């Protein structure tokens, strides 16, 4: 029986996911797309906040070349170990990896960076505290770019919340806070940025990406209410949800495996 354990910290969650994280090609495409849209130039100093396995940091280091400098920051030692292996395998000498909370980086002086990137990370961070710290770290005129799922995506997570309701749990959509272009723009303005471009696109998952959907939803940091279920209730919920997911995969794979995403940019 799989009893949920919502008390895992975000570090534990990502330490556990580290070994297979970069095997999910949508993670790679999502991070590289943010970097492509940010279009970093040679020689830039870049902070990759919540760098994970270093996907955006590596793409940024390739773009900025030997005169650039990229700092990747993450709280998960497991993700950073994978990042270190990928950076070494790519032979990139301009990436520094730092284990730290990306919302509090006193080791870096004001104006230390030309560009701050955060790919798929703000979902786990206090948004305003993070954006304000990154604004401090940017030089005047420096750019910020982050990515986020649109509200209601991924569809598998929406299905999970719908099933949770049937089991008496009212779960909120963690993507909703930044889930529209208007909300991204407003969050940037609230933190003191001038909002620049916003790009809405879709991203495609593979059915393999859903294999650990139950664990991802129940052990992640967003749905503490799962802890109120007994082991038996959780098991019934798990069976209902995984059956519904398999059914949706058979009947409506296209919609299930496509997510709307937002890439948002601002200027200090
Ligand atoms: C979904 S992953 C994204 C990783 C990477 N940016 C990418 O695009 O593949 C979220 C990352 O945020 C990190 N994280 C969560 N809270 C953090 C914090 N307060 N400071 C730094 N990293 C954090 C996690 O450890 C995890 O590696």
């Amino acid at each position: 029986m799989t009893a949920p354990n919502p008390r895992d910290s975000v570090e534990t969650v990502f330490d556990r996911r580290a070994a297979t994280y970069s095997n999910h090609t949508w993670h790679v495409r999502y991070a590289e797309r943010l970097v492509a849209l940010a279009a970093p130039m040679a020689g830039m100093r870049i902070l990759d906040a919540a760098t994970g396995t270093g996907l955006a940091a590596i793409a940024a280091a390739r773009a900025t070349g030997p005169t650039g400098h990229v700092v990747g920051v993450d709280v998960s030692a497991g993700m950073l170990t994978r990042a270190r292996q990928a950076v070494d395998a790519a032979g990139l000498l301009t990436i520094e990896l730092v284990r730290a909370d990306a919302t509090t980086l006193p080791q870096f002086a004001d104006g230390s960076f030309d560009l701050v990137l955060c790919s798929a990370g703000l979902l786990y961070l206090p948004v305003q505290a993070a954006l304000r710290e990154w604004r401090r770290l940017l030089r005047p005129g420096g750019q910020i770019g982050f990515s986020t799922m649109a509200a209601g995506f991924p569809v598998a997570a929406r299905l999970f919340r719908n099933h949770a309701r049937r089991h008496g749990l009212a779960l909120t959509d963690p993507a909703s806070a930044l889930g529209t272009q208007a909300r991204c723009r407003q969050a940037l303005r609230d933190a003191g940025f001038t909002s620049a471009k916003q790009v809405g696109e879709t991203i495609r998952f593979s059915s393999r990406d859903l294999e650990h959907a139950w664990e991802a939803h129940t052990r992640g940091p967003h749905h503490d209410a799962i802890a109120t279920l007994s082991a038996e209730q959780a098991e019934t919920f798990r069976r209902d949800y995984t059956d519904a997911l398999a059914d949706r995969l058979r009947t409506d794979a296209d919609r299930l495996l496509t997510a709307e995403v937002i890439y948002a940019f601002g200027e200090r």
Side-chain angles (χ1 to χ4, degrees), residues 4 167-169 214 225-234 237:
H167 291 268
L169 300 177
W214 170 258
I226 306 284
T228 62
L229 297 179
S230 68
E232 289 73 22
Q233 288 169 324
F237 176 15

Side-chain angles (χ1 to χ4, degrees), residues 10 14 21 31 50-52 55 74-76 79 100-102 119-120 124-125:
V10 78
F14 282 100
Y21 186 89
T51 191
L55 299 172
D74 204 281
V75 283
S76 160
M79 294 293 266
D101 179 347
S119 168
Y124 305 95
L125 304 177

Side-chain angles (χ1 to χ4, degrees), residues 245-267:
L245 203 55
D247 188 51
R248 192 68 77 88
L249 200 54
R250 272 191 305 273
T251 58
D252 199 4
D254 235 26
R255 206 171 319 176
L256 182 64
L257 298 176
T258 304
E260 288 179 20
V261 298
I262 301 165
Y263 303 93
F265 296 86
E267 185 176 319

Side-chain angles (χ1 to χ4, degrees), residues 102-119:
T103 64
T104 316
L105 294 167
Q107 61 271 55
F108 297 106
D110 295 4
S112 297
F113 297 97
D114 304 299
L115 173 65
V116 175
L117 296 171
C118 184
S119 168

Side-chain angles (χ1 to χ4, degrees), residues 10-15 17-18 21-22 24 26-28 30-32 34 48-57 73-80 98-105 117-126 130 134 147 221:
V10 78
E11 289 107 301
T12 309
V13 168
F14 282 100
D15 282 350
R17 287 177 63 184
Y21 186 89
S22 300
H24 296 271
W26 78 271
H27 288 146
V28 183
Y30 196 25
E32 290 183 349
L34 177 68
D48 181 25
T51 191
T53 57
L55 299 172
V73 171
D74 204 281
V75 283
S76 160
M79 294 293 266
L80 286 174
V98 177
R99 187 168 177 213
D101 179 347
T103 64
T104 316
L105 294 167
L117 296 171
C118 184
S119 168
L122 273 170
L123 192 65
Y124 305 95
L125 304 177
W134 301 342
S147 58

Side-chain angles (χ1 to χ4, degrees), residues 146 148 178 180-188 198 262 264:
F146 65 83
T148 184
L178 289 172
T180 65
Q181 293 193 21
R183 286 180 210 157
C184 290
R185 204 174 295 122
Q186 192 57 49
L188 285 166
Q198 312 266 321
I262 301 165

